Amino acid sequence: MLVMILFICPGPVNGQKKTDEGYLGKAELNKPKKTAFDYLNNPETVDNYGHISDSIWSFAELGMQEFRSSAILIRTLENEGFTVEKGLAGMPTCFVATWGSGKPSIGILGEYDALPMISQKALTPVKSPVVEGGPGHGCGHNLMGTAGIAAAIAVKRSMEEHKIPGTIVFFGSPAEETVTSRPFMVKAGLFNDIDAVIDNHASTGFGTGYGVDGTAIISAIFTFKGKTAHSAGAPWSGRSALDGVELMNVSTNFLREHLFYTYRMHYVITEGGEAPNVVPDKASVWYYVRNTDERLEEMFERVKDCARGAALASGTTLDTIRVITAIHQKHSNKGLAETIQRNIELVGMPVWSEKENEFAKALQKELKQKEKGYADSVNPLRKPPVTQVGGGSTDVGEVTLVAPTATLNFPGGVPGMTGHHWSAVASYYGSAAWKGLNAGAKVMAGTAIDLFTNPDLLKKIREEFAAYSKDHPYKSFLPEGTKPPVEFNKELMDKFRAALNDVEN
Ligand SMILES: [Zn+2]
């Protein structure tokens, strides 16, 4: 472990001009908020959560295999008096931690899964894996689960001290990188009594936004069955399942021309036979079919038609279409995003040390980016994009349709780094990442306290949500009976776990 010297931002530092569009002014620093911030500002607290985040970074557990990562978060919450229900919605690493009782009920989301293949040594500005080919935290989820529990605990302490009624709930959400857990968590009714949800994501900037963005997605594995034969001796008596897969891919690639431009579509062949001289009798291809909420199901039907046509042409059968997950676009609540923004203005950008900026500049140099160090001012409130042009997906989208939700992006990453890449893994560790985590926790705690202590604000947010829900009623895209893919990443994680444990960072 690297031991880092820590410097905590003493107060708001805000480089943003008040005339900027999107500037909403600062949230009030009332007594309950001060209690929460005092707790989070305490050097011991900063150290504690920093080490939790760095530990999760070191475990680098892939989605559905986050056993040690969830355990450390659960232990911390239980030590603070939270009631934790584990193994929820059919997923061993999914949990919900609750403190308090009655209304309002405010939720905070947190993730903790890593990404495959991008292992990298912490704070090292050149590519250098901890374990060759191993997993790494290239999306900062180590910071996010930790920031979420830090905020929940800070809020609980404030509620206790100031006798604020209500319930604070932390949602431990596995496998975000495969956008898997939330549709099952929503289906299990975990968000049924929640009045508003604060989501968080690590970033290079400090900001939030509202409206619809990203793409909805159906993730599905198509498996073809054929007949083995000697590929040279009697190929005529075989039927290649791989032909089925290949013809399906040819068809979907022709389909692209006639899809509305909001789509994204990509696949990997997960199973394609063992040897060229045996006609493969089984082959599978894993598709991500993405589009807007409105166009997703129709597009998926057309992709299924491509699979059916390929089976017919290759003389194989389309054995199964296994839907892994299916999620909506993100529909963020404006009133909640504005509340988060006001708290961002209150907390302000952390102050980065010279040593931290030295690392950032070295990494920027290596990546051929502008050598400017960490970001020095917060972002204005982000408006929804005017035109929907595709892009990534998050299963937070699912939550946004069952409760008013908005996402806080907190800093700590190096501007110019690439997400899901070794450069992001290198950044999401140590003192600068800790400062980002801490600033993020403060904004979430401040936002939650505003919702607990200002009934009119929460009412307005709920009214916005109710009006929106009328036009966008929730309906799961998951086929009836779909089970979460809990076996995912087990083999990979079993392979790397011992090697990762042996390494000193
Ligand atoms: Zn992420």
Side-chain angles (χ1 to χ4, degrees), residues 111 139-141 144 176-177 201 420:
E111 301 158 12
C139 205
H141 294 193
M144 290 148 54
E176 195 282 332
E177 296 297 358
H201 206 293
H420 295 200

Side-chain angles (χ1 to χ4, degrees), residues 184-336:
F184 297 99
M185 290 168 75
V186 168
K187 226 173 188 186
L190 303 187
F191 297 94
N192 282 0
D193 298 321
I194 302 294
D195 293 305
V197 176
I198 305 161
D199 174 44
N200 77 101
H201 206 293
S203 178
T204 57
F206 210 177
T208 187
Y210 62 92
V212 184
D213 71 299
T215 44
I217 178 171
I218 296 177
S219 159
I221 299 175
F222 295 79
T223 298
F224 292 80
K225 287 262 174 82
K227 234 166 52 173
T228 58
H230 193 300
S231 305
W236 44 84
S237 57
R239 296 289 180 270
S240 170
L242 182 60
D243 289 356
V245 164
E246 290 195 84
L247 286 171
M248 175 185 175
N249 296 344
V250 169
S251 306
T252 57
N253 285 320
F254 272 99
L255 177 65
R256 288 181 195 276
E257 186 185 350
H258 305 290
L259 292 170
F260 196 72
Y261 63 84
T262 46
Y263 86 96
R264 289 282 190 280
M265 179 168 57
H266 20 259
Y267 55 82
V268 288
I269 297 175
T270 52
E271 206 177 0
E274 304 287 343
N277 60 348
V278 181
V279 173
D281 65 343
K282 192 175 173 218
S284 302
V285 58
W286 183 10
Y287 266 78
Y288 276 17
V289 173
R290 309 197 205 213
N291 215 319
T292 57
D293 288 352
E294 294 73 26
R295 296 180 188 272
L296 184 72
E297 286 176 302
E298 185 208 345
M299 176 177 165
F300 189 57
E301 280 308 313
R302 296 187 73 184
V303 170
K304 285 203 277 192
D305 282 344
C306 291
R308 291 182 194 116
L312 188 63
S314 59
T316 60
T317 52
L318 176 60
D319 188 51
T320 51
I321 302 172
R322 181 186 173 196
V323 173
I324 303 296
T325 186
I327 57 154
H328 292 76
Q329 290 175 280
K330 194 156 100 171
H331 302 248
S332 302
N333 183 280
K334 188 176 180 208
L336 183 54

